[in-house]
Structures are given as structure tokens and as C-alpha cells.
Amino acid sequence: LSTGALFILACLLFAGAANAAGYGGYIGLDYTEGTVDVFGVDVDHDRAAVDFGFVMDTNLAQDRLFNYRLRLGLQAGTREYRASGFVSEQDTFGFAFTNTFGFGILRTPALRLWVGPSLRFAVDGCTDCSGFDSVFLAFGAGPEIGLNFNIGSHLTIGPSLAYNYMFGVDFTDIFGFTDDFSGPQHHVSVLVNIFFRTGSDTYGTRDSQDRGIAPSQ
């Protein structure tokens, strides 16, 4: 699917479940490793960061197959570059935007296990640069899996694990000399999401909800 088709699908899923959704926050850890090509030399780089921000999901507890999850947050961490004995470490700060399309493979009144593809966009820059400036932009896709523990009528706690294969571009300005270096990345994140569910996001089949029948307990 193209990016445009995925965006349209996300809009349709959100519109169809706008009255049954959960809103809240997330916090977690992410780790990225990859390489960038610097004038023909592959430079290894790793980044470890804390990721936190806003999260929304269109289906946390309903007995329906699909859910769409959106996360928009900040990330603060450290990036390390290594090549031929050279090591450079930078403190970084930026933001990340993730769209996930989930499929509920296990659905009960108290628990939902889901899996699906995610699209991630992230950008960060160094906060302790000396003599140069660096902005790193990355985008990619990969699988995500999560568990929703639905507690009572309105609370959901949902740990999730995601992997994204990404492509990154490092835009660097060194004493007025500007260039960009690019390469692949492997990104892993482990998150805890906490939601407040709206009253209509409760377990029950779509047919029973449409007929006004109370959800099963």
C-alpha cells in the first residue's frame, strides 16, 4: 500500500470508531542501531532514548477486529558514532510520530492481544554540539504487538513492543560546511501505554452494540 492509501485507511478507521476510543499517555525505551555512509565510509551509530507522549487508540476493549493507534511524543537520549577507532557521543532531543494498524487476534472482556504493521517518523538533533550542528531524520515500518489490560469501565494499561526497519538521513553542518549522510536503521521500542476509555469502548459484538443490547460481562 502507498502512504496515501494508508492515510485514507487510517482516516476511515478513525471515523468509524471516533465515538469509541481511548486517550492517554505513554512512556518507554527505544534503541536504534544503524550505519550512515560518510564519504564512502560506513559509520556505525547507536541511539538509546526515553520516549514519552500522547497516545490514542480507536478500539481498546470492543469485540472487533481492527484498531488504529496513534502516538505523538518526545524522545531524549544519546547517540554514538563509531568508525576506525573514532567515537563521538551526542546528547539528542526530538520527536516521533507513529501510526499502527492493529488486528485483535485474542479478544476477551478483560484482555485484547493485537498485532499489526506500524509506520514511524522521527527526527532529533544534538543538544551539546561543539563546532557543528546535526539533525537526524528517519522513517520506516515494521510489526508491533501489544496487550490491552482493560480494568473497569474506563482504564486500560497496554504494554507494546515494536520493531521498525528505517532509513535515516543525518543533516550535518560542520563549521559552515553542510552535507547529508544516509543509511539503514533497526529500531526497537518497549512502551507502556495508559488510556482513559470512553463509555462506548466496551466489550461486545458489533451487532449487539448496534441493536442496543448491553455488552456481555
Side-chain angles (χ1 to χ4, degrees):
L1 290 176
S2 66
T3 302
L6 289 172
F7 177 77
I8 293 172
L9 176 60
C11 292
L12 292 174
L13 290 173
F14 179 77
N19 65 335
Y23 307 90
Y26 74 91
I27 187 169
L29 300 174
D30 66 60
Y31 178 77
T32 302
E33 66 175 24
T35 61
V36 288
D37 184 348
V38 181
F39 303 120
V41 177
D42 286 338
V43 177
D44 296 328
H45 67 87
D46 302 332
R47 185 184 66 92
V50 175
D51 201 353
F52 59 96
F54 169 79
V55 61
M56 183 276 296
D57 196 300
T58 60
N59 177 14
L60 294 166
Q62 300 172 88
D63 187 14
R64 301 185 186 182
L65 179 62
F66 298 106
N67 68 286
Y68 166 66
R69 179 167 295 189
L70 177 148
R71 281 192 298 267
L72 180 61
L74 302 175
Q75 49 186 8
T78 302
R79 185 184 302 280
E80 183 179 273
Y81 293 87
R82 301 182 308 277
S84 302
F86 169 80
V87 177
S88 175
E89 191 172 279
Q90 303 172 1
D91 291 331
T92 65
F93 188 81
F95 73 90
F97 177 62
T98 305
N99 296 271
T100 303
F101 306 89
F103 299 85
I105 56 178
L106 173 64
R107 306 189 297 274
T108 73
L111 179 69
R112 176 182 174 90
L113 172 64
W114 57 269
V115 64
S118 67
L119 303 175
R120 178 179 173 87
F121 171 82
V123 60
D124 61 40
C126 64
T127 59
D128 60 345
C129 300
S130 176
F132 71 96
D133 192 19
S134 176
V135 175
F136 202 97
L137 183 149
F139 57 92
E144 182 171 355
I145 186 169
L147 276 171
N148 298 345
F149 296 98
N150 299 311
I151 304 168
S153 301
H154 298 291
L155 177 65
T156 294
I157 298 176
S160 61
L161 172 66
Y163 165 80
N164 296 109
Y165 182 79
M166 306 185 71
F167 182 79
V169 182
D170 194 343
F171 298 93
T172 303
D173 186 332
I174 304 176
F175 300 109
F177 174 77
T178 302
D179 209 335
D180 58 88
F181 313 104
S182 60
Q185 290 185 311
H186 300 280
H187 173 269
V188 177
S189 61
V190 180
L191 305 174
V192 175
N193 308 270
I194 301 176
F195 298 90
F196 173 82
R197 299 197 319 273
T198 61
S200 53
D201 191 351
T202 56
Y203 188 81
T205 65
R206 182 168 185 169
D207 290 342
S208 65
Q209 288 179 348
D210 291 343
R211 294 196 304 267
I213 301 174
S216 58
Q217 301 296 322

